[in-house]
Amino acid sequence: MPHFPMDSPDSVRSLPARRSVLGAMAVTAASPALLGLSSPASAATAAPVAQPRALPGGGDLGPNVIVFDPSTSGIQAKLDEVFRQQESAQFGTGRYALLFKPGTYNGLNAQLGFYTSIAGLGLSPDDTAINGDVTVDAGWFNGNATQNFWRSAENLALTPVSGTNRWAVAQAAPFRRMHVRGGLNLAPTGYGWASGGYIADSRIDGSVGPYSQQQWYTRDSSVGGWANAVWNMVFSGVQGAPAQSFPNPPYTTLDTTPVSREKPFLYLNGSEYRVFLPERRTNARGTTWGSGTPRGTSLPLTQFYVARPGVSAATLNAALTQGLHLLLTPGIYHLDQPIQVDRAGTVVLGLGYATLIPDNGVTALRTADVDGVRLAGFLIDAGPVNSSTLLEVGPTGASASHSANPTTVQDVFIRIGGAGAGKATTSMVINSRHTIIDHTWVWRADHGTGVGWETNRADYGIRVNGDDVLATGLFVEHFNKYDVQWYGQRGRTIFFQNEKAYDAPNQAAIQNGNVKGYAAYKVADSVTTHEGWGLGSYCYYNVDPTIVQHNGFAAPNTPGVKFHDLLVVSLGGQGQYEHVVNETGAPTSGTSTVPSTVVSYP
């Protein structure tokens, strides 16, 4: 990609194209033993029929969950060992969760590479204090942080050595339930490129410095200050957030988050592992834990089937049928049938970016139309045989109300290509009403292996059919056609980040009937009520820079369908937009990478 000069951190202006972008242990759990039934004629004399053996709940978390306590020797050496392995392993197979028991740890610098999660095991972040840093930087990529994906920090209190912790990330790198006793720098050393991220349920005592971060979403948190904005900074329910001022500076600020429910997390109650399930909040503002123990319920680990890589989909489904929840330990899971979640309140929680790969074109995971399912903390990687869908929340036609106890999809990431050829027609389908999509990155790969306009074909990113669905922190990129299609009524999105597919070979390849290109975010003509805040779409048609995209956003022109703070950007003039939403908004032009904005529509 072309090189764009950087401004100094004190005067960061519209920044360059984000990225060019370039470029465990298998333990097989036995399926339940099933014996054939006798025929009716011989039933009287037949031996008793053996029943399927019950699968155990709880158990060891496996070799890639590394647990420390304050007395553990060699913590820094172990952290460094994992980082050396994972620093540049963008499409590798290593997966790690680094867990810290409550207590105080001194002098640590936990550098996080790919597929590495770090978390405290207390009920509150302040239960696990690190006098040191949890660092993400970009030395592996020459100071460019736009590919720092798939890593996370949760449930820790940090006192940074320098007073400021560095968290230079891109997509799919959540910062949840963190307390930083100091400042937070979201840019890499040297203030090189960075391309967006997510903070929730966190307290930053000092100021947050985005510097080169092009977009960011912060939810239900507290910050001591916010230094600057580039294209699209969105806040909901954040104490200390800058005032609404889009587009100059481009801050979109909602006083509260309409509905939220924090991600489930593993913690220790004495020596017993449990999973905490935070309660649903309405019109939330600030953290869940600032005034003491968070509100919610918890489950003992004995109510979870602790899965290891190599286990079959049949065994996972047997565990679910038995009434267990799923805890997916770090590693890669091949599925020859969908994981089917049918029971209300089921939790499917991944550690260390456990990765589901559907084989032979199956869907990776489906849920029934039931209350309160929680899907969190895992990656779905499309297989080489096309899947019609990769994740389905609720069946087609789902209509039950789940307003009091919605399904949540949190830190669930989807990838098509990159680690190898993968294909899927539609990545994520949301059929159940009131579902909350809270931070997802749905990505048709633009770099890595198995990448090409047809090689990793994926027409649609997310399709929302259910009514009353809320998305908070929606990142969807590079699909061959629509990135987001919204058919449900009363949908809401707070923060959307998108890039159109880089690799379209020519104008004809993206032509949508008489329309030039498929909108990044399409609200169906049948929808009468919809609302979105802080939505951005970028184009970088580097294969054919003459491509024209009619608009980033398309929706019925009706009073009930409303948008606030929209932008489109041509990255370096590689392709152009004619409008922002429908026929509204000025075209992009030239190579200046300056957004075209619409403050309110209609």
Side-chain angles (χ1 to χ4, degrees):
M1 64 181 290
H3 175 73
F4 293 81
M6 271 294 305
D7 289 306
S8 69
D10 294 324
S11 60
V12 175
R13 59 172 170 79
S14 293
L15 284 177
R18 304 173 38 231
R19 47 183 186 269
S20 137
V21 193
L22 319 167
M25 177 175 176
V27 179
T28 302
S31 299
L34 299 174
L35 300 181
L37 295 175
S38 303
S39 67
S42 60
T45 58
V49 176
Q51 297 301 312
R53 179 170 56 85
L55 292 164
D60 184 78
L61 297 177
N64 289 358
V65 176
I66 302 169
V67 182
F68 304 102
D69 66 46
S71 66
T72 302
S73 61
I75 296 177
Q76 187 64 57
K78 188 63 177 179
L79 296 174
D80 292 346
E81 176 189 339
V82 173
F83 178 64
R84 282 193 299 271
Q85 177 179 320
Q86 299 301 114
E87 180 183 11
S88 59
Q90 182 171 180
F91 298 111
T93 58
R95 304 286 187 273
Y96 289 93
L98 309 173
L99 305 183
F100 286 75
K101 293 182 180 180
T104 300
Y105 301 78
N106 294 311
L108 296 181
N109 180 21
Q111 300 181 81
L112 299 188
F114 287 98
Y115 314 109
T116 305
S117 298
I118 188 170
L121 288 170
L123 262 183
S124 164
D126 290 338
D127 293 340
T128 310
I130 293 179
N131 293 317
D133 297 78
V134 171
T135 302
V136 178
D137 209 338
W140 75 278
F141 200 42
N142 301 314
N144 180 344
T146 61
Q147 293 184 28
N148 283 348
F149 315 138
W150 306 306
R151 63 201 76 196
S152 65
E154 297 184 58
N155 208 27
L156 294 165
L158 307 178
T159 303
V161 170
S162 68
T164 301
N165 190 73
R166 185 180 304 280
W167 186 255
V169 298
Q171 290 74 23
F175 198 80
R176 289 185 181 269
R177 295 178 52 76
M178 295 290 287
H179 184 188
V180 181
R181 296 173 173 142
L184 186 63
N185 183 340
L186 303 179
T189 299
Y191 302 96
W193 304 340
S195 67
Y198 171 94
I199 293 171
D201 201 23
S202 293
R203 176 179 171 183
I204 317 301
D205 292 346
S207 184
V208 178
Y211 304 118
S212 57
Q213 282 288 353
Q214 292 158 344
Q215 67 276 318
W216 198 276
Y217 176 52
T218 306
R219 179 182 63 71
D220 297 359
S221 294
S222 172
V223 298
W226 195 272
N228 71 288
V230 178
W231 290 335
N232 192 30
M233 299 286 163
V234 180
F235 307 84
S236 68
V238 178
Q239 298 165 339
Q244 169 72 31
S245 58
F246 188 92
N248 188 26
Y251 293 132
T252 298
T253 303
L254 286 71
D255 190 57
T256 61
T257 304
V259 187
S260 56
R261 188 175 69 193
E262 299 305 328
K263 175 179 173 284
F265 62 92
L266 193 67
Y267 76 103
L268 277 173
N269 180 26
S271 60
E272 177 196 19
Y273 283 106
R274 298 182 70 89
V275 174
F276 192 81
L277 308 177
E279 72 174 13
R280 170 181 165 272
R281 298 202 291 171
T282 57
N283 299 316
R285 181 172 173 82
T287 67
T288 63
W289 49 269
S291 57
T293 302
R295 299 181 64 175
T297 58
S298 73
L299 298 169
L301 197 63
T302 53
Q303 292 185 21
F304 285 77
Y305 179 70
V306 179
R308 298 281 194 92
V311 70
S312 69
T315 297
L316 296 174
N317 284 327
L320 291 168
T321 300
Q322 190 176 305
L324 295 171
H325 307 272
L326 297 182
L327 186 72
L328 305 174
T329 64
I332 295 174
Y333 298 74
H334 282 270
L335 306 174
D336 61 0
Q337 61 180 268
I339 298 172
Q340 183 66 46
V341 178
D342 290 329
R343 191 180 71 257
T346 298
V347 179
V348 180
L349 177 62
L351 300 179
Y353 290 97
T355 301
L356 308 178
I357 301 179
D359 294 328
N360 301 319
V362 303
T363 297
L365 190 149
R366 292 190 176 113
T367 77
D369 191 24
V370 294
D371 273 357
V373 172
R374 304 184 195 226
L375 309 177
F378 55 89
L379 171 65
I380 299 174
D381 205 357
V385 177
N386 185 74
S387 294
S388 60
T389 61
L390 294 173
L391 174 66
E392 296 179 18
V393 177
T396 301
S399 60
S401 174
H402 305 292
S403 59
N405 191 8
T407 286
T408 44
V409 181
Q410 299 177 285
D411 302 346
V412 172
F413 307 124
I414 293 179
R415 179 174 69 197
I416 302 96
K423 292 185 178 183
T425 303
T426 306
S427 291
M428 183 185 297
V429 178
I430 306 295
N431 292 315
S432 287
R433 293 179 62 192
H434 300 101
T435 298
I436 300 173
I437 309 167
D438 178 46
H439 189 228
T440 189
W441 185 39
V442 181
W443 184 57
R444 175 181 167 264
D446 57 306
H447 65 279
T449 59
V451 171
W453 185 248
E454 296 296 341
T455 306
N456 62 329
R457 181 85 194 186
D459 282 350
Y460 309 108
I462 293 181
R463 178 175 175 139
V464 178
N465 296 319
D467 294 340
D468 308 292
V469 171
L470 171 66
T472 52
L474 192 60
F475 299 75
V476 189
E477 298 191 292
H478 304 150
F479 286 84
N480 295 77
K481 293 184 178 180
Y482 290 118
D483 298 276
V484 173
Q485 296 171 287
W486 209 295
Y487 290 86
Q489 299 288 352
R490 298 175 298 281
R492 292 173 291 183
T493 295
I494 304 173
F495 182 87
F496 171 67
Q497 186 265 318
N498 164 264
E499 284 182 338
K500 296 303 298 174
Y502 292 173
D503 56 344
N506 49 49
Q507 187 76 45
I510 64 161
Q511 193 69 13
N512 181 15
N514 295 324
V515 180
K516 299 172 186 174
Y518 291 80
Y521 189 106
K522 165 67 173 174
V523 180
D525 292 343
S526 58
V527 172
T528 57
T529 306
H530 186 91
E531 196 159 9
W533 296 261
L535 314 182
S537 177
Y538 319 149
C539 72
Y540 186 73
Y541 288 117
N542 62 317
V543 175
D544 181 359
T546 68
I547 289 175
V548 175
Q549 177 82 27
H550 184 65
N551 51 32
F553 304 90
N557 188 6
T558 182
V561 176
K562 304 174 184 177
F563 291 105
H564 314 272
D565 303 355
L566 301 175
L567 67 108
V568 296
V569 183
S570 169
L571 303 179
Q574 305 292 295
Q576 302 291 346
Y577 291 91
E578 291 181 325
H579 299 287
V580 179
V581 52
N582 292 350
E583 309 303 315
T584 300
T588 58
S589 63
T591 60
S592 56
T593 313
V594 174
S596 177
T597 61
V598 169
V599 174
S600 182
Y601 183 87

